[in-house]
Amino acid sequence: MVRLRAVGPALLLLLVTACSAGETADGTAGERAAEPWRPAPGLDWQWQLTGPLDLAVDVPVYDIDGFESDARDVAALHERDVRVICYINAGAWEDFRPDRDAFPAGLLGEGNGWEGERWLDIRQLEALRPLMAARFDLCRDKGFDAVEPDLLDGYLNETGFPLTADDQLAYNRMIAELAHERGLSVGLKNDLPQIPELVGDFDFAVNEECAEFGECAALTPFIEAGKAVFHVEYALDTEEFCATTTALGLSSMAKRLDLDAWRDPC
């Protein structure tokens, strides 16, 4: 064990200041690391959840699967100064995930239309808290900068549970709290009706198909707060939405529904 000799107050202050200003693993100053990353509007991004992971897309932000990706993928992106978002399903159980047996049967509702997935009873906060905490621990331990918790709008769907808007608010705020406790920023996925109430709890937004359904203006509270909105369309070509969404400040692109590596950005 190395022993440090006593130092005077001035030198001690210098040492403390130097440590706090030191660089973190992603090359940012220590003061910045004390707060979760908050992406600014207009950042270009890549979102890939299926297929061989293409790490070569020249964008400052990647959103990739938290289970399927590993720490080496995140580190490789960090070496290019790319921020990395961890996709985690927070609203549905998935029978293909390694933690599937940790979810009690009483939490599982109707299928959500995707093979192997069932809605979760988000009213059961105390049962879900440790399960989601473990998933966010996975993201943190792999070095991710942020999380994208999917399906934060169960109350708008036929889940098999009588979910209310208040149930969703309570659950979404718990999700944001769990992320922030781990030093991760967190995005609000869809749930457009509750944006005015949740914009202060989340660091950015992720949206699917707001242009197709004429809803993109609902995302402006995030832009006005200086927070990015990462947006995709599946059924529209870029010439059908880019002019509108770019003017609103959204980070938009066209993707295939399976979210493979292909992208057509605005």
Side-chain angles (χ1 to χ4, degrees):
M1 179 170 57
V2 178
R3 294 184 181 273
L4 297 177
R5 63 182 177 86
V7 296
L11 182 55
L12 180 61
L13 177 61
L14 179 62
L15 289 171
V16 171
T17 302
C19 290
S20 65
E23 287 195 342
T24 62
D26 64 355
T28 58
E31 293 94 337
R32 287 179 57 198
E35 294 292 331
W37 166 60
R38 178 174 291 175
L43 287 176
D44 201 5
W45 71 306
Q46 166 65 323
W47 193 16
Q48 183 181 352
L49 301 183
T50 66
L53 187 58
D54 179 2
L55 297 177
V57 180
D58 187 16
V59 293
V61 179
Y62 259 69
D63 188 339
I64 57 180
D65 190 276
F67 284 103
E68 297 297 327
S69 307
D70 60 32
R72 290 170 297 180
D73 297 321
V74 178
L77 291 167
H78 280 166
E79 285 189 6
R80 295 198 290 112
D81 294 324
V82 175
R83 296 285 194 167
V84 194
I85 301 170
C86 182
Y87 171 89
I88 289 291
N89 198 328
W93 173 81
E94 301 158 308
D95 69 4
F96 49 88
R97 297 301 191 184
D99 63 352
R100 59 188 176 275
D101 293 335
F103 288 75
L107 286 175
L108 311 185
E110 300 292 335
N112 66 359
W114 292 92
E115 185 177 354
E117 298 188 19
R118 294 169 63 182
W119 288 104
L120 292 170
D121 185 357
I122 61 166
R123 299 170 300 171
Q124 300 190 50
L125 297 181
E126 294 313 306
L128 284 166
R129 183 185 298 272
L131 297 170
M132 293 301 132
R135 288 188 164 192
F136 289 2
D137 286 345
L138 179 79
C139 297
R140 178 200 59 201
D141 294 346
K142 290 183 178 182
F144 283 92
D145 301 292
V147 291
E148 180 218 331
D150 197 10
L151 298 181
L152 294 184
D153 56 359
Y155 76 111
L156 297 174
N157 294 273
E158 296 296 328
T159 63
F161 307 112
L163 304 182
T164 67
D166 286 342
D167 294 329
Q168 195 71 60
L169 283 173
Y171 184 66
N172 291 0
R173 286 176 172 141
M174 183 190 78
I175 289 293
E177 179 185 332
L178 288 172
H180 289 152
E181 286 174 353
R182 287 152 180 79
L184 299 165
S185 63
V186 58
L188 180 64
K189 181 70 170 290
N190 297 323
D191 194 13
L192 297 180
Q194 296 188 329
I195 284 176
E197 294 159 289
L198 291 173
V199 64
D201 297 283
F202 287 81
D203 306 294
F204 58 94
V206 179
N207 177 263
E208 298 168 292
E209 302 180 294
C210 69
E212 182 177 357
F213 296 102
E215 300 170 334
C216 293
L219 290 148
T220 54
F222 274 96
I223 301 299
E224 291 169 353
K227 301 176 181 182
V229 175
F230 298 116
H231 160 244
V232 298
E233 293 292 329
Y234 304 119
L236 303 180
D237 294 327
T238 51
E239 59 266 25
E240 299 178 80
F241 64 87
C242 282
T244 298
T245 62
T246 300
L248 288 172
L250 278 57
S251 301
S252 298
M253 61 181 169
K255 293 283 293 183
R256 290 191 278 253
L257 189 59
D258 64 355
L259 292 172
D260 62 1
W262 180 87
R263 65 192 291 272
D264 186 10
C266 290

